[in-house]
Amino acid sequence: MRITADRINPDELRNELVDAAAGAYVGFEGWIRNHNEGEQVLRLEYEVYEPLALAEGAKVIAEAVEKFPLLHAECVHRSGALDIGECAVWVGVTSAHRDEAFAACRFIIDQVKVRLPIWKKEHYVDGHSGWVNCERCAEHGHTHPEAVSS
Amino acid sequence: MRITADRINPDELRNELVDAAAGAYVGFEGWIRNHNEGEQVLRLEYEVYEPLALAEGAKVIAEAVEKFPLLHAECVHRSGALDIGECAVWVGVTSAHRDEAFAACRFIIDQVKVRLPIWKKEHYVDGHSGWVNCERCAEHGHTHPEAVSS
Amino acid sequence: MTKNITVRYFAGFREHAGIDKETIAVEASTAADVYKKLQHRHGSAEPLGHCKVAINDQMADWDAAVSDGDTVLLFPPVAGG
Amino acid sequence: MTKNITVRYFAGFREHAGIDKETIAVEASTAADVYKKLQHRHGSAEPLGHCKVAINDQMADWDAAVSDGDTVLLFPPVAGG
């Protein structure tokens, strides 16, 4: 697990997973969309609490390696300000066969999204901004600071 | 759908799918493993009947676009001789959310493997070679020319 | 009825037949009939259900009718990826 | 029993509290107790179940015990990726 303030380079990361015993590589990338829940997004900031994001991410990857017969698995998450189209998170997995590569890649991104102390603040075209709720809490909408007064 | 005798460049292909509305990219790559069913593989040849591989591949991608709300989907398959570690097939899919990107990428590679007129001949370390059976027929083992005499 | 059919062999079928193409005069109504007539050329151990066929560059079912002058493409089990 | 607890706020909690860290003297047995005492600082509308907590840089359950001198990290709902 890695956290970086620099642009993610999926090609370079993929090459780190190369293995002559690997028959399948599955890569996932989360890109910054220009819209979310009906709002036009201009740019985005990730706040990451690194010590625990790294520890929890390493745990997620270790769980994937235990669950599935993998050769390699890695995840990199951005921190700081990102523009539309930038890669916010990359997950890469290699294995002998594709079943486990797909399953493990999916497992890792699902867990990373709900377990790592990472927060996303979207800045919208109309000037306001908001912290995006986690996926499990999505039915409650955004946690705009205005909306959570005591 | 494309067939190429040249090295596949996943990074270049991925960049063709970039879209500001995309939140998820899933890429699959099939790599030449150094082993298959207990045999040490030296290198591999793909025979492709291009007119129908292209037509059937385009049909598979069109089916994926109909089944799932995708932004873009593409598949490239190699022909000719490949060495261990080379990318034999690449599938890339972009969509707003990751569910459909994973599902569509999986759908495309599964269909490509069983529907396109493409054949794989493995050359083994011990000098012999054999045509690899399709996945659905895998329980019958290799179709070595010697083994299919009339 | 005897028809002139051009048959194309691929992969293991071609290696087994030793040629990639031939035109034969054959009594056949369907693609499956053509396959059966040529079993000795392309490895009869392979069940029909594992193989595919195309007629004039269109994927076809084994029970598709063949006409005089057609080209029948015999595909052994595929293995892309 | 009153304990000295250092509390760290993240993301929306930090913006709401207007500070990222403070040390308070608080009567609390568990992490949940600390959260409840500080509701006015970090947006009480957020149910505990949506939030996470760490004690001294270890992820913890809300019913984990807090000791004098601990650092409690309050995480609003996460949204990686």
Side-chain angles (χ1 to χ4, degrees):
Chain A
M1 183 73 214
R2 292 178 239 172
I3 304 293
T4 178
D6 302 322
R7 264 184 178 274
I8 289 176
N9 185 331
D11 198 42
E12 235 172 68
L13 292 165
R14 164 197 176 279
N15 290 343
E16 293 179 19
L17 306 187
V18 163
D19 191 309
Y25 165 81
V26 174
F28 171 80
E29 298 176 30
W31 294 350
I32 306 301
R33 285 205 308 277
N34 59 6
H35 64 281
N36 191 25
E37 293 175 29
E39 307 225 47
Q40 286 288 107
V41 179
L42 257 189
R43 62 191 180 79
L44 202 136
E45 265 168 88
Y46 281 102
E47 176 173 338
V48 179
Y49 183 57
E50 281 206 32
L52 279 187
L54 290 171
E56 196 68 10
K59 213 185 280 179
V60 165
I61 292 171
E63 288 171 15
V65 168
E66 197 167 321
K67 274 174 91 85
F68 306 100
L70 306 180
L71 289 161
H72 306 285
E74 185 54 290
C75 176
V76 181
H77 203 293
R78 280 287 299 271
S79 61
L82 277 81
D83 292 321
I84 302 302
E86 282 200 75
C87 179
V89 57
W90 170 89
V91 179
V93 172
T94 52
S95 56
H97 302 282
R98 70 186 182 287
D99 264 347
E100 51 263 29
F102 273 105
C105 186
R106 182 67 204 253
F107 172 82
I108 292 170
I109 185 61
D110 285 355
Q111 296 293 310
V112 159
K113 278 179 176 254
V114 297
R115 282 168 56 182
L116 273 59
I118 297 179
W119 301 271
K120 177 154 67 176
K121 190 181 203 173
E122 290 179 342
H123 296 265
Y124 306 106
V125 168
D126 67 6
H128 82 292
S129 63
W131 292 98
V132 179
N133 251 342
C134 76
E135 300 204 323
R136 282 194 189 145
C137 327
E139 62 272 21
H140 302 275
H142 290 176
T143 313
H144 292 199
E146 319 76 85
V148 292
S149 55
S150 54
Chain B
M1 182 74 214
R2 292 179 239 171
I3 304 293
T4 178
D6 302 323
R7 262 184 179 275
I8 288 175
N9 185 332
D11 198 42
E12 234 171 68
L13 291 165
R14 164 196 175 278
N15 290 343
E16 293 178 20
L17 306 189
V18 163
D19 191 310
Y25 165 81
V26 174
F28 170 81
E29 298 177 31
W31 295 350
I32 306 299
R33 285 204 309 278
N34 59 6
H35 64 281
N36 191 25
E37 293 175 30
E39 306 224 48
Q40 285 288 107
V41 178
L42 258 189
R43 62 192 177 80
L44 202 138
E45 267 168 86
Y46 281 102
E47 176 174 335
V48 179
Y49 182 58
E50 281 206 30
L52 280 186
L54 289 171
E56 197 69 8
K59 212 185 279 180
V60 165
I61 292 171
E63 288 171 16
V65 169
E66 198 166 321
K67 273 174 92 83
F68 307 101
L70 306 180
L71 289 161
H72 306 285
E74 185 54 291
C75 176
V76 181
H77 202 293
R78 280 288 298 272
S79 61
L82 276 81
D83 291 322
I84 303 301
E86 283 200 74
C87 179
V89 59
W90 171 89
V91 179
V93 172
T94 51
S95 56
H97 301 281
R98 71 187 182 286
D99 263 346
E100 51 261 30
F102 273 105
C105 186
R106 183 66 203 255
F107 172 82
I108 292 171
I109 185 60
D110 285 356
Q111 296 293 310
V112 159
K113 278 180 177 252
V114 297
R115 282 170 55 182
L116 272 59
I118 297 179
W119 301 273
K120 176 153 69 174
K121 191 180 203 172
E122 289 180 342
H123 296 265
Y124 306 106
V125 167
D126 67 7
H128 81 291
S129 63
W131 293 97
V132 178
N133 250 343
C134 77
E135 301 203 320
R136 282 196 188 142
C137 327
E139 65 272 20
H140 301 275
H142 290 176
T143 314
H144 292 196
E146 319 74 88
V148 291
S149 57
S150 53
Chain C
M1 191 193 121
T2 300
K3 295 164 182 168
N4 288 307
I5 303 288
T6 299
V7 183
R8 292 186 60 177
Y9 302 106
F10 292 85
F13 285 175
R14 184 189 58 249
E15 287 190 352
H16 195 83
I19 46 171
D20 62 355
K21 195 175 171 173
E22 64 184 331
T23 300
I24 53 168
V26 67
E27 284 214 25
S29 313
T30 66
D33 293 340
V34 175
Y35 183 83
K36 282 169 203 150
K37 297 279 181 190
L38 294 162
Q39 284 197 322
H40 65 288
R41 290 222 192 268
H42 48 63
S44 57
E46 207 58 74
L48 207 68
H50 292 178
C51 304
K52 290 183 200 294
V53 66
I55 301 174
N56 304 330
D57 268 357
Q58 299 288 329
M59 297 301 293
D61 293 327
W62 282 108
D63 56 7
V66 290
S67 308
D68 190 59
D70 276 353
T71 297
V72 173
L73 292 75
L74 297 180
F75 297 149
V78 302
Chain D
M1 191 190 119
T2 300
K3 295 163 183 170
N4 288 306
I5 302 287
T6 298
V7 183
R8 293 187 60 178
Y9 302 106
F10 292 85
F13 286 175
R14 186 190 56 249
E15 288 190 351
H16 195 82
I19 47 170
D20 63 355
K21 194 174 170 173
E22 63 184 332
T23 300
I24 53 167
V26 66
E27 283 215 26
S29 313
T30 66
D33 293 340
V34 175
Y35 184 83
K36 281 169 203 151
K37 296 279 180 190
L38 293 161
Q39 283 197 322
H40 66 288
R41 290 224 192 269
H42 48 63
S44 57
E46 207 58 74
L48 207 67
H50 292 178
C51 304
K52 291 184 201 294
V53 67
I55 301 174
N56 303 330
D57 268 358
Q58 300 287 328
M59 297 300 293
D61 293 326
W62 282 109
D63 57 6
V66 290
S67 306
D68 190 59
D70 277 353
T71 297
V72 173
L73 292 75
L74 297 180
F75 297 149
V78 302

